Amino acid sequence: MSTCSRRSFLKRSAGFAAAAGIGLGAGGCPKKEPTAAGRGVKWRYAMCNESMRELPWAEQCKIVGEAGYQGVEIAAFTLVKEGVGEITPAQRKEMVAAMDDAGIVCTGLHWLLTPPPAGLHFTTPDKTVRDTTVAYLRDLIDFCGDLGGTAMIFGSPKQRSTAGISVDEAKKYFAEGLAAVADQAQGRGVVIMIEPLDKSQTDVVNVTSEAVEMVKQINHPAIQTMFDFHNTVDETEPFDVVIRTYYPNIRHVHVQEMDGKYLGTGDGRTAFVKAFQTLKELEYDKWVSLEVFDFSPGGRTIAVESMKVLREIESKLT
């Protein structure tokens, strides 16, 4: 085993790594992520953990690993009563150990501001609430970094919608908050991605072009965007065109059937092929993460059945 494994936790200099632009994973080691083994693709598969939240963490990791995923994406609210500050350094190391034992890594976090804690809002005109929310985002960045995660997906529609102000004002606060934490994120090897969400969920950043506009405004490598099949309702172009157009800023992909159910319950096995072909042609080498919203089939079924479809989609790529 490498001397930079989770069991050694060498005392490396975080300051040197940050200055060199090297993201540190758990234990102060440079982050190392596995690649997918399927049919020439370069991306890696992960699964979000909400559908398994009632299970012990080690069991969640086992389900994800046994189903063939390389990573787990974490909704922090599923693990806490008040906030991530209650997860001690020792407990974070135990979480990393469980992932290691299951043969997976932490991809990062999503649903960042979903309670607990309650009362967070990133774009409110109330500066005290905004400051509190930015402070919690900082805690999440450190939590993500401690687990070895590299991606933080900023969806959280209810915590970024307008609150008695204009959309332009909300976007201004959104950008300011992200800019405030960008250096910290970069120092932990984390990229925060603005997730476009359709108008049924929020009135702030509904399409990829708006997310990219904000990314360019902030102009920091630690702030980017991502692509989620389920959230493309307001887009006017097909999946593959959106991906190709905004690819330089797309650093993460979420996949599920368009109604939010697990893959295989709809037409994703055919409807998504062209999008995945585009990702392959562009040599996308980051995460494709399964995020579903109907948990009723149970985490194991969701994991296994969705992986079958992902492999089927792979088999159709040229």
Side-chain angles (χ1 to χ4, degrees):
M1 180 173 290
S2 166
T3 55
C4 207
S5 71
R6 66 172 174 82
R7 295 175 178 85
S8 58
F9 292 101
L10 299 179
K11 296 181 180 179
R12 291 174 174 261
S13 167
F16 169 81
I22 301 171
L24 294 185
C29 298
K31 294 181 179 178
K32 183 179 181 181
E33 297 170 341
T35 57
R39 297 178 180 82
V41 302
K42 294 185 177 182
W43 56 76
R44 296 149 287 179
Y45 293 121
M47 178 177 172
C48 299
N49 81 308
E50 300 98 304
S51 62
M52 305 172 285
R53 63 181 299 180
E54 76 282 358
L55 300 174
W57 175 247
E59 182 64 20
Q60 294 184 39
C61 294
K62 184 179 179 182
I63 288 172
V64 172
E66 288 181 346
Y69 300 84
Q70 290 86 39
V72 59
E73 186 171 319
I74 300 169
F77 73 88
T78 66
L79 304 174
V80 301
K81 294 181 179 179
E82 300 294 334
V84 291
E86 69 197 49
I87 303 177
T88 67
Q91 290 171 327
R92 296 179 189 202
K93 289 181 180 180
E94 290 173 0
M95 290 181 68
V96 173
M99 289 185 280
D100 192 26
D101 289 342
I104 62 174
V105 298
C106 174
T107 70
L109 312 178
H110 67 293
W111 284 108
L112 303 181
L113 303 180
T114 298
L120 300 179
H121 201 291
F122 210 67
T123 59
T124 174
D126 187 327
K127 188 176 185 303
T128 299
V129 174
R130 284 205 318 276
D131 289 348
T132 299
T133 306
V134 169
Y136 189 66
L137 184 59
R138 291 187 181 279
D139 291 343
L140 288 171
I141 290 169
D142 285 334
F143 178 60
C144 185
D146 287 347
L147 297 187
T150 58
M152 288 178 59
I153 314 306
F154 200 124
S156 302
K158 294 181 180 179
Q159 291 79 30
R160 81 184 207 207
S161 296
T162 57
I165 57 176
S166 69
V167 172
D168 285 344
E169 288 177 291
K171 285 182 177 180
K172 174 177 176 290
Y173 291 139
F174 199 171
E176 287 177 351
L178 292 176
V181 302
D183 284 345
Q184 178 186 347
Q186 185 178 36
R188 295 307 308 262
V190 171
V191 176
I192 301 174
M193 279 157 275
I194 303 164
E195 183 174 26
L197 299 171
D198 69 83
K199 291 178 181 177
S200 71
Q201 302 180 67
T202 183
D203 53 358
V204 179
V205 186
N206 305 121
V207 291
T208 311
S209 61
E210 291 180 279
V212 170
E213 180 181 5
M214 187 174 292
V215 167
K216 291 180 177 179
Q217 175 189 341
I218 297 169
N219 191 29
H220 194 290
I223 309 297
Q224 300 294 333
T225 190
M226 52 85 66
F227 179 84
D228 187 318
F229 286 89
H230 176 261
N231 293 328
T232 57
V233 177
D234 293 338
E235 299 284 359
T236 59
E237 299 287 351
F239 304 138
D240 61 300
V241 174
V242 173
I243 291 170
R244 195 174 293 277
T245 301
Y246 301 108
Y247 182 74
N249 297 110
I250 291 175
R251 304 299 174 84
H252 198 78
V253 173
H254 275 166
V255 66
Q256 63 292 99
E257 295 291 350
M258 290 302 293
D259 62 0
K261 295 181 179 180
Y262 69 84
L263 292 173
T265 59
D267 65 355
R269 57 169 34 95
T270 55
F272 297 169
V273 171
K274 194 170 183 179
F276 277 96
Q277 180 67 45
T278 301
L279 289 170
K280 184 177 180 181
E281 290 172 2
L282 292 170
E283 299 187 339
Y284 178 74
D285 62 356
K286 298 174 176 60
W287 291 105
V288 172
S289 191
L290 176 71
E291 182 190 30
V292 303
F293 303 99
D294 176 9
F295 309 147
S296 58
R300 190 176 299 277
T301 295
I302 290 169
V304 171
E305 295 303 316
S306 294
M307 180 53 71
K308 290 179 183 177
V309 175
L310 289 169
R311 295 305 185 192
E312 183 178 337
I313 290 173
E314 279 184 23
S315 72
K316 298 175 181 179
L317 304 182
T318 59

